[in-house]
């Protein structure tokens, strides 16, 4: 979650990073079929499961949004 | 009923120690809701104890329904408890896009503390390459990180 917040802080006009408690927001979790955590959903489409290093998350964001 | 703290003395003293390094001021905004009364109450108490550990942190609480214009401004409409960690420079609040939805307990409590320290430093700590890329984004990026408390 901290990594996502670091990304948001870098460009807050473009980025919103929400840490979501899966148990308290069950409807939202169900929408995405969350089964294991941490699970990072990117623009409602991309997924990165697990706590990954900065480069891994950035690469997945680039893949979805264009480098 | 006597007030019972959520944070024990050990944890509170550790948090106070960590917050001694805070330089710039931080605004923590909490949105609560009657429809999530218990978790909203727990979150409000927890944030009260955390924010009370430093005079550089300022907590403000809104109701996500009654203050829906403010909730919309911070993009947390209909979500409670929702936490915003923002920068405060005098009367100017800078939203860094940082949100928690739910009670920040367990591992996420540590993340909350780290977020406060990070925002106070006004430095994200990302690598220069990542910063360059993220600053170049031409369309919105929404990250939702699902976690389990505890």
């Amino acid at each position: 979650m901290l990594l996502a917040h670091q990304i948001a802080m870098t460009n807050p006009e473009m980025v919103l990073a929400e840490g979501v408690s899966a148990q308290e927001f069950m409807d939202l979790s169900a929408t995405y079929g969350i089964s294991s955590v941490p699970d990072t959903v990117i623009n409602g489409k991309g997924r990165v499961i697990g706590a990954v290093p900065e480069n891994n998350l950035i690469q997945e964001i680039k893949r979805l949004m264009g480098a | 009923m006597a007030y019972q703290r959520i944070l024990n003395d050990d944890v509170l003293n550790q948090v106070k120690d960590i917050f001694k390094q805070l330089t710039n001021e931080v605004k923590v905004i909490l949105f609560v809701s009657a429809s999530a009364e218990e978790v909203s109450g727990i979150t409000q108490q927890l944030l009260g104890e955390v924010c009370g550990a430093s005079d550089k942190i300022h907590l403000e609480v809104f109701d996500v329904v009654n203050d829906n214009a403010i909730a919309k401004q911070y993009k947390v409409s209909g979500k409670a408890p929702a936490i915003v960690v923002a920068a405060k420079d005098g009367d100017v609040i800078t939203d860094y896009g940082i949100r928690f939805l739910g009670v920040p307990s367990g591992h996420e409590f540590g993340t909350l503390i780290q977020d406060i320290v990070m925002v106070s430093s006004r430095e994200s700590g990302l690598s220069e390459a990542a910063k360059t890329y993220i600053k170049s984004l031409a369309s919105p990026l929404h990250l939702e990180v699902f976690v389990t408390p505890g």
Side-chain angles (χ1 to χ4, degrees), chain A residues 1-25 28-29 32 34 36-44 54 57-58 61-63 65-67, chain B residues 39 74-75 79-81 95-103 108 111 114-115 118-119 121-127 130-131 133-149:
Chain A
M1 189 192 297
L2 181 64
L3 177 55
H5 288 165
Q6 287 175 288
I7 291 171
M9 188 173 172
T10 300
N11 189 353
E13 273 153 38
M14 281 296 172
V15 186
L16 179 69
E18 299 172 311
V20 185
S21 171
Q23 287 177 349
E24 291 169 52
F25 289 84
L28 192 54
S29 300
Y32 294 126
I34 304 296
S36 63
V37 292
D39 188 342
T40 302
V41 178
I42 304 167
N43 282 352
E54 177 194 285
L57 182 55
I58 295 293
I61 293 168
K62 281 183 179 177
R63 193 182 68 77
M65 299 189 70
Chain B
V39 288
Y74 284 101
K75 299 176 191 153
K79 296 173 182 172
D95 181 0
Y96 281 141
I98 294 169
R99 306 287 186 272
F100 281 95
L101 305 184
V103 183
E108 305 323 321
T111 306
Q114 287 178 289
D115 272 346
M118 178 176 73
V119 168
S121 78
R122 303 292 193 259
E123 170 53 58
S124 71
L126 271 192
S127 70
K131 279 185 194 173
Y133 170 67
I134 294 298
K135 285 180 182 176
S136 76
L137 290 177
S139 57
L141 172 61
H142 185 199
L143 300 173
E144 296 167 277
V145 185
F146 289 84
V147 296
T148 302

